[in-house]
């Protein structure tokens, strides 16, 4: 079942989403060579708590931190550690916050100092693919339309669209129905309705689309060690289109 949120639930989800967006903005100036991912995690934890929310990811299936920090060939679910960011890295930061029982979820990939032209291209196209996916959303559209739009856009650049991980509904649970794949067939899949809230989150590799699980049983890495980017927004489906709840 795909939940339809009431106006009051939507108010709470707007606040949860705003806190996630503000946490991203809070972290951004710290994303520089020399900072450790654990330091970023602590900054995020404090900011989320101070905002009256709790970090959605902490203890989710035993996840040990507040945010996910995935560097270079790490696709998603990198665990914050004492690793220091280096100039030329890209880092995907995934943040979830729960406000009065409702979640917001958003990931963004940041450059660390000056990065290669290839990595810049990867970030630009992955961010754009998120908007390509979002732009087809409105009441009456289908979930397959989203993945189709993302894959169609990415195909032009010969990048790898990860299939093993997908977007999802968001609400009182961080992950709700429906699954929102980043590939698909137009006119297929569940019908979107006004009041649904979903997270769209393309994960795109500079190389092949293959990924595998790292030794820590959390970190997903690319099969060919190529860099990977991840952009995610939680959005409300409206009659005419959509509203981004996790605006930065
Ligand atoms: N934003 C991530 C997702 O939607 C959630 C991180 S998984 C966790 O897949 F286990 F770290 F919480
Ligand atoms: Co998500």
């Amino acid at each position: 079942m795909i939940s339809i949120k009431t106006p009051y639930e939507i108010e709470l989800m707007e606040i949860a989403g705003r806190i996630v967006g503000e946490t991203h903005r809070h972290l951004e100036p710290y994303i520089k060579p020399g900072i450790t991912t654990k330091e970023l995690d602590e900054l995020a934890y404090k900011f989320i708590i101070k905002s009256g929310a709790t970090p959605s990811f902490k203890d989710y299936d035993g996840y040990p931190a507040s945010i996910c920090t995935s560097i270079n060939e790490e696709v998603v679910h990198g665990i914050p550690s004492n690793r220091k960011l280096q100039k030329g890295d890209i880092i995907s930061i995934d943040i979830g916050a729960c406000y009065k029982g409702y979640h917001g979820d958003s990931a963004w990939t940041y450059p660390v100092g000056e990065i290669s032209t290839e990595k810049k291209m990867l970030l630009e196209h992955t961010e754009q693919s998120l908007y390509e996916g979002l732009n087809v959303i409105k009441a009456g559209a289908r979930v397959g339309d989203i993945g189709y739009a993302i894959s169609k856009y990415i195909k032009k650049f010969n990048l790898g669209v990860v299939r093993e991980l997908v977007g999802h509904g968001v609400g009182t649970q961080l992950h709700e129905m429906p699954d929102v794949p980043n590939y698909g067939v137009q006119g297929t899949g569940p019908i979107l309705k006004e009041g649904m809230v979903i997270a769209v989150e393309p994960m795109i590799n500079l190389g092949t689309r293959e990924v595998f699980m790292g030794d820590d049983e959390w970190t997903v890495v690319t099969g060919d060690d190529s860099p990977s980017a991840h952009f995610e927004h939680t959005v409300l489906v409206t009659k005419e289109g959509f509203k981004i709840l996790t605006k930065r």
Side-chain angles (χ1 to χ4, degrees), residues 56-68 76-77 94-96 105-107 165-168 174-175 199 201 203 218 230 232:
S56 303
F57 302 168
K58 199 159 180 89
D59 300 324
Y60 184 93
D61 277 350
Y63 187 72
S66 297
I67 61 173
C68 301
V76 287
H77 304 167
D94 197 343
I95 302 175
D105 186 9
S106 172
L165 299 124
V166 296
H168 50 90
L174 176 63
H175 293 139
E201 48 179 318
M203 288 147 267
W218 275 107
H230 182 204
E232 173 185 32

Side-chain angles (χ1 to χ4, degrees), residues 82-124:
N82 292 322
R83 178 170 174 180
K84 284 190 165 103
L85 298 186
Q86 292 182 4
K87 181 170 161 253
D89 285 342
I90 54 172
I91 179 170
S92 303
I93 297 190
D94 197 343
I95 302 175
C98 184
Y99 181 79
K100 296 198 174 158
Y102 290 83
H103 295 273
D105 186 9
S106 172
W108 214 256
T109 304
Y110 300 90
V112 181
E114 205 35 48
I115 56 169
S116 69
T117 321
E118 272 186 320
K119 280 179 170 171
K120 264 185 211 157
M121 185 274 285
L122 175 69
L123 298 199
E124 257 168 47

